[in-house]
Amino acid sequence: GLRNREANVLVVGLDNSGKTSLLNFLRPLEVQTNNIVPTVGFSVEHFSCHGLSFTAFDMSGQSRYRTLWANYYRTTNAIIFIIDSSDRTRIFVAREELQQLLSHPDVSKRNIPILFFANKMDTRDALSDIGVSSALSLEDITNKSWYICSSNALTGEGVVTGIEWLSSAIK
Ligand code: GTP
Ligand code: MG
């Protein structure tokens, strides 16, 4: 297994969904920042937490950078897809991006685990994990292991649950 190796984890989702914030929560306390800005292109960072030692590719979700995601599909060991569960308008854009990801040959032909975070669970209008799951038709994903949980990237609620699942799915 990957116990003593590095797993590559690709972190995608629309802009403003909370990818960089969620990764920031996984950093050691002394290097967490409270100044998160929109990611330009992507950034690469190493994490070690909850049984998983991994290199995260934190992609920009802005539309002009989304074409970069596919460059990393072939070499990634897992995908984290983050959804802003309060953004009911753009959940259909997220759904479209997910469909494209799933139909890419470097994803469709490989058995890569996918972890979904229904993020911003603390917001007033947030859809539940079940609501997000049904908006994205996750039950149609039958050839991959996947998991969804609600999260609050700012407090970390739900984050460890997801990462623990990912850790067991990669090994
Ligand atoms: P790009 O880099 O542009 O693709 O965005 P991103 O997905 O990395 O989002 P980012 O982490 O920059 O967060 C966007 C905004 O959402 C920031 O203002 C965060 O503080 C806020 N945010 C992130 N997660 C949460 C959450 O769980 N709850 C709430 N209320 N706000 C959040
Ligand atoms: Mg970012």
Side-chain angles (χ1 to χ4, degrees), residues 93-114:
V93 181
R95 177 196 168 91
E96 191 59 40
E97 292 296 345
L98 175 64
Q99 295 306 328
Q100 282 200 38
L101 178 153
L102 291 171
S103 61
H104 191 288
D106 290 341
V107 175
S108 63
K109 292 179 183 155
R110 298 180 55 224
N111 187 15
I112 326 171
I114 309 183

Side-chain angles (χ1 to χ4, degrees), residues 15-120:
D15 49 297
N16 199 51
S17 56
K19 300 176 291 296
T20 305
S21 303
L22 191 139
L23 290 173
N24 181 57
F25 174 81
L26 296 175
R27 296 163 120 191
L29 209 49
E30 62 273 18
V31 293
Q32 286 182 18
T33 174
N34 47 26
N35 180 32
I36 306 264
V37 296
T39 305
V40 173
F42 67 97
S43 76
V44 182
E45 214 170 331
H46 177 267
F47 293 90
S48 196
C49 59
H50 304 284
L52 187 60
S53 179
F54 67 98
T55 302
F57 293 76
D58 176 16
M59 306 305 292
S60 167
Q62 289 178 60
S63 53
R64 65 175 168 282
Y65 294 121
R66 283 179 211 154
T67 51
L68 295 177
W69 299 0
N71 295 337
Y72 301 91
Y73 293 161
R74 193 175 52 79
T75 51
T76 201
N77 301 109
I79 293 173
I80 298 178
F81 195 105
I82 304 190
I83 301 101
D84 176 349
S85 21
S86 71
D87 192 348
R88 292 178 183 235
T89 316
R90 291 208 305 161
I91 197 141
F92 298 102
V93 181
R95 177 196 168 91
E96 191 59 40
E97 292 296 345
L98 175 64
Q99 295 306 328
Q100 282 200 38
L101 178 153
L102 291 171
S103 61
H104 191 288
D106 290 341
V107 175
S108 63
K109 292 179 183 155
R110 298 180 55 224
N111 187 15
I112 326 171
I114 309 183
L115 169 62
F116 296 91
F117 279 115
N119 194 38
K120 306 199 185 183

